[in-house]
């Protein structure tokens, strides 16, 4: 069952033997509890990659041909899962050929790109927004990507005969996205139904300690129990955590090589 922020605050205040409120702004204490709920929520969301926060996201291509392989993260992304690009060929303009881009650590990416010959016509010398030069091929669809600042993705190449820059419309990207917090009475925190007990108990434990200077052992115990249980059962569609089968059955399907090191 899901609860509004006001309902969560009211439950915590009740357990603290505090005054009843009809809004999170009614008293100084209710405002403090609401802030504690917010900090507990953000901590819970940061501690693991929640299944419901895994979403398809947009990447924004560079607005200048001077940086043809730069793309920018649009959402408050916590962690990228994969990036696919439509590597269409000049003789097949209407076909969709999505291929998974391979991640390289920045140092490995630079070693690979620096091996290119800048005297050749199929190699562009571009400048990163920092002013650093990068060598980029202009005669092939991208294959690798990296990020130097955790905000801008840089790809290794682009097909100049098809496009001036890598295009947002050709990207399929998936990532874990940090949700936004709405600090209103009727706002419902973005959590699965079964995770609300964890949020309430965690916030209650913090509120008792900070506002009453009393440790709520029961709430702490329940918060730990809920956290352990939810760490195993957060994937509704895929059936939760899969444990090792120790050779009892073979693993089916290819491994996702998106973020394997290739240096």
């Amino acid at each position: 069952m899901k609860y509004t922020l006001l309902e969560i605050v009211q439950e915590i205040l009740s357990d603290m033997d505090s005054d009843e409120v009809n809004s999170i702004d009614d008293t100084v204490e209710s405002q403090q509890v609401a802030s504690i709920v917010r900090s507990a929520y953000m901590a819970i969301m940061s501690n693991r990659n929640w299944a419901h926060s895994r979403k398809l996201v947009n990447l924004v291509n560079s607005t200048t041909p001077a940086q043809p392989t730069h793309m920018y993260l649009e959402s408050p992304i916590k962690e990228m899962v994969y990036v696919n690009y439509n590597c269409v060929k000049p003789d097949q303009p209407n076909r969709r050929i999505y291929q998974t881009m391979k991640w390289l650590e920045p140092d490995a990416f630079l070693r690979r790109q620096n091996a290119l010959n800048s005297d050749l016509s199929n190699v562009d010398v571009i400048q990163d927004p920092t002013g650093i030069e990068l060598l980029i091929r202009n005669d092939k669809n991208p294959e690798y990507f990296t990020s130097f600042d955790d905000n801008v993705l840089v790809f290794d190449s682009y097909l100049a005969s098809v496009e001036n820059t890598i295009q947002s419309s050709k990207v399929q990207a998936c990532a874990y996205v940090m949700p936004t917090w709405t600090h209103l009475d009727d706002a419902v925190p973005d959590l699965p139904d079964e995770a609300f007990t964890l949020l309430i108990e965690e916030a209650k434990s913090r509120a008792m300690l900070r506002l009453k200077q009393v440790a709520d052992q029961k709430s702490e115990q329940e918060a730990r129990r809920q956290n352990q249980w939810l760490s195993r059962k957060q994937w509704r569609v895929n059936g939760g955590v899969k444990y090792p089968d120790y050779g009892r059955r073979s693993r089916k399907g290819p491994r996702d090589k998106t973020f394997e090191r290739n240096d």
Side-chain angles (χ1 to χ4, degrees), residues 189-256:
D190 185 12
L191 277 174
D193 290 12
E194 62 267 27
F196 274 80
T197 299
L198 170 62
L199 174 61
I200 292 171
E201 296 300 333
E202 179 66 29
K204 189 185 302 180
S205 175
R206 294 186 183 201
M208 289 294 291
L209 188 60
R210 294 182 187 179
L211 303 182
K212 301 295 186 181
Q213 286 75 53
V214 176
D216 189 337
Q217 300 294 338
K218 189 64 177 177
S219 291
E220 291 178 5
Q221 181 183 21
E222 181 62 21
R224 285 195 299 271
R225 189 182 73 83
Q226 288 290 323
N227 205 6
Q228 292 169 355
W229 181 76
L230 286 169
S231 68
R232 300 191 301 271
K233 190 211 175 285
Q234 60 168 310
W235 295 89
R236 292 189 300 171
V237 176
N238 214 22
V241 172
K242 303 297 190 299
Y243 291 100
D245 56 25
Y246 300 106
R248 287 190 290 271
R249 59 181 180 180
S250 60
R251 186 183 187 277
K252 297 181 179 180
R255 294 180 61 187
D256 184 358

Side-chain angles (χ1 to χ4, degrees), residues 84-99 101 139-142 158-163 165 167 169-170:
N84 296 334
Y85 195 74
N86 180 17
C87 296
V88 62
K89 299 178 180 179
D91 59 343
Q92 298 174 313
N94 297 320
R95 186 177 176 185
R96 305 296 189 268
I97 309 174
Y98 283 100
Q99 296 182 359
M101 301 292 101
D139 62 342
K140 61 183 285 291
N141 280 304
Y158 72 107
L159 194 55
S161 60
V162 174
E163 55 202 13
T165 65
Q167 300 296 309
S169 60
K170 293 184 177 181

Side-chain angles (χ1 to χ4, degrees), residues 29-220:
E29 192 173 42
S30 65
Q31 294 174 0
Q32 291 173 322
V33 171
S35 295
I36 289 172
V37 174
R38 175 176 57 193
S39 63
Y41 171 78
M42 298 309 295
I44 289 171
M45 292 303 300
S46 299
N47 285 340
R48 69 167 63 99
N49 288 330
W50 292 85
H52 75 283
S53 68
R54 176 171 166 151
K55 305 177 185 297
L56 292 175
V57 297
N58 291 320
L59 300 182
V60 181
N61 59 283
S62 172
T63 57
T64 170
Q67 296 165 357
T69 60
H70 283 57
M71 301 201 83
Y72 299 83
L73 300 176
E74 189 175 51
S75 306
I77 290 174
K78 181 182 177 185
E79 181 180 324
M80 292 296 302
V81 178
Y82 61 79
V83 178
N84 296 334
Y85 195 74
N86 180 17
C87 296
V88 62
K89 299 178 180 179
D91 59 343
Q92 298 174 313
N94 297 320
R95 186 177 176 185
R96 305 296 189 268
I97 309 174
Y98 283 100
Q99 296 182 359
T100 300
M101 301 292 101
K102 301 171 186 176
W103 166 262
L104 284 178
E105 294 293 338
D107 55 344
F109 182 87
L110 287 176
R111 285 198 302 270
R112 187 176 187 278
Q113 298 307 109
N114 289 342
L116 298 175
N117 186 348
S118 59
D119 287 335
L120 298 179
S121 60
N122 67 336
V123 176
D124 292 344
V125 180
I126 68 171
Q127 277 196 337
D128 187 75
T130 61
I132 302 299
E133 287 187 343
L134 298 174
L135 304 183
I136 301 294
R137 286 187 59 173
N138 59 32
D139 62 342
K140 61 183 285 291
N141 280 304
E143 184 178 1
Y144 298 92
F145 75 104
T146 193
S147 179
F148 299 105
D149 61 1
D150 242 12
N151 183 55
V152 181
L153 305 187
V154 182
F155 294 81
D156 66 317
S157 61
Y158 72 107
L159 194 55
S161 60
V162 174
E163 55 202 13
N164 292 327
T165 65
I166 287 182
Q167 300 296 309
S168 301
S169 60
K170 293 184 177 181
V171 171
Q172 292 176 337
C174 182
Y176 291 100
V177 179
M178 281 297 292
T180 57
W181 174 264
T182 304
H183 206 69
L184 297 172
D185 287 345
D186 58 354
V188 178
D190 185 12
L191 277 174
D193 290 12
E194 62 267 27
F196 274 80
T197 299
L198 170 62
L199 174 61
I200 292 171
E201 296 300 333
E202 179 66 29
K204 189 185 302 180
S205 175
R206 294 186 183 201
M208 289 294 291
L209 188 60
R210 294 182 187 179
L211 303 182
K212 301 295 186 181
Q213 286 75 53
V214 176
D216 189 337
Q217 300 294 338
K218 189 64 177 177
S219 291
E220 291 178 5

